[in-house]
């Protein structure tokens, strides 16, 4: 497992190394993202369809030692 997880927050899907709360994030809960922001998480199903944050994607691929797809 990688040390980060994805969480929809503030209109985008971000990655975070925060401790994921038991039962998942509540809407409005602050989450620190890999792109260095503190944003309110979004718990709704639709939020998972938001587009991925580009900066988080770069950090996540780096942490996973995986090349970014072109
Ligand atoms: Zn981000």
């Amino acid at each position: 497992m990688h040390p980060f997880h994805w969480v929809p927050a503030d209109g985008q899907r971000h990655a975070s190394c925060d401790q994921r709360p038991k039962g998942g994030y509540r809407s409005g809960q602050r989450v620190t993202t890999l792109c260095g922001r503190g944003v309110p998480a979004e718990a709704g199903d639709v939020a998972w369809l938001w587009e991925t944050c580009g900066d988080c994607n770069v950090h996540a691929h780096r942490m996973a030692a995986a090349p970014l797809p072109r």
Side-chain angles (χ1 to χ4, degrees):
M1 279 301 285
H2 303 302
F4 60 88
H5 53 269
W6 294 96
V7 52
D10 197 30
Q12 286 185 310
R13 214 167 51 95
H14 293 277
S16 174
C17 287
D18 285 4
Q19 175 107 38
R20 196 205 300 255
K22 275 195 172 64
Y25 287 98
R26 286 171 287 110
S27 280
Q29 186 168 359
R30 283 277 151 187
V31 55
T32 305
T33 61
L34 294 191
C35 59
R37 298 164 60 197
V39 288
E42 183 60 54
D45 284 346
V46 177
W48 285 105
L49 301 175
W50 290 345
E51 72 178 70
T52 302
C53 168
D55 286 349
C56 279
N57 202 28
V58 168
H59 286 296
H61 277 78
R62 199 170 292 155
M63 290 177 87
L68 272 170
R70 290 189 168 266

